[in-house]
């Protein structure tokens, strides 16, 4: 099963930084990448029925509309959660946010913004080159 990266974040700067990082990492250039500006947009536009990828989902914690936790809940309810390795993205340094992510079996990790090359490589389990 091929990997696919999905970024869901309402922060346009983070999306641009993610694109720059992905374009600079040779190991990630061939991996399909999707960007969504909200949880609502992702849930309404993503074709779950035809998605056969092992998705690595970078999910913003705080967004207008559905927040990151609500998106996770919707994925669980739909039965699609098994296709996702989810990393919560947040600029929050509140210990309770990290603790909630650490204690949720559907969350693989918690990434503090800003996003960096090393953080992306670490969670995608790929080497640059």
């Amino acid at each position: 099963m091929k990997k696919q990266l999905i970024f869901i974040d309402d922060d346009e700067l983070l999306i641009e930084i993610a694109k720059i990082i992905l374009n600079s990492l040779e190991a990630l250039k061939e991996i399909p990448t999707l960007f969504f500006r909200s949880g609502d947009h992702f849930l309404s536009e993503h074709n779950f029925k035809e998605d056969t990828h092992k998705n690595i989902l970078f999910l913003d914690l705080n967004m207008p509309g559905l927040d990151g936790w609500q998106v996770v809940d919707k994925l669980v309810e739909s039965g699609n959660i098994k296709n996702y390795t989810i990393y919560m993205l947040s600029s929050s340094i509140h210990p309770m946010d990290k603790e909630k992510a650490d204690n949720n079996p559907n969350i693989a990790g918690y990434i503090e913004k800003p996003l960096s090359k090393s953080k992306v490589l670490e969670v995608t389990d790929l080497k640059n080159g």
Side-chain angles (χ1 to χ4, degrees):
M1 189 179 286
K2 289 191 168 197
K3 286 186 181 183
Q4 176 172 267
L5 304 178
I6 300 174
F7 289 82
I8 304 173
D9 201 306
D10 64 315
D11 182 351
E12 195 168 317
L13 181 59
L14 179 118
I15 296 295
E16 290 308 311
I17 289 170
K19 288 177 181 179
I20 291 167
I21 288 170
L22 296 173
N23 285 330
S24 71
L25 295 171
E26 199 62 41
L28 299 179
K29 286 189 176 177
E30 301 301 315
I31 297 179
T33 306
L34 302 172
F35 297 94
F36 296 93
R37 297 298 308 271
S38 71
D40 304 279
H41 182 223
F42 166 70
L43 292 169
S44 67
E45 297 294 321
H46 188 62
N47 189 341
F48 294 100
K49 289 188 174 92
E50 293 181 18
D51 187 355
T52 59
H53 293 89
K54 178 59 183 160
N55 297 293
I56 299 173
L57 178 58
F58 295 87
L59 180 58
D60 188 19
L61 187 59
N62 296 307
M63 296 179 286
L66 294 176
D67 68 17
W69 297 117
Q70 292 168 311
V71 172
V72 171
D73 290 344
K74 296 285 187 189
L75 287 171
V76 169
E77 289 169 19
S78 69
N80 291 311
I81 193 77
K82 65 189 176 306
N83 295 334
Y84 295 87
T85 302
I86 302 173
Y87 292 91
M88 294 305 263
L89 281 174
S90 183
S91 53
S92 168
I93 56 168
H94 198 286
M96 283 182 56
D97 288 334
K98 185 173 183 335
E99 186 178 321
K100 185 174 179 179
D102 289 344
N103 291 328
N104 187 317
N106 297 308
I107 307 301
Y110 183 89
I111 300 172
E112 288 180 19
K113 293 178 183 178
L115 199 58
S116 68
K117 284 184 184 183
S118 61
K119 291 174 185 176
V120 171
L121 283 173
E122 182 180 327
V123 302
T124 55
D125 197 30
L126 296 169
K127 303 292 180 240
N128 191 17

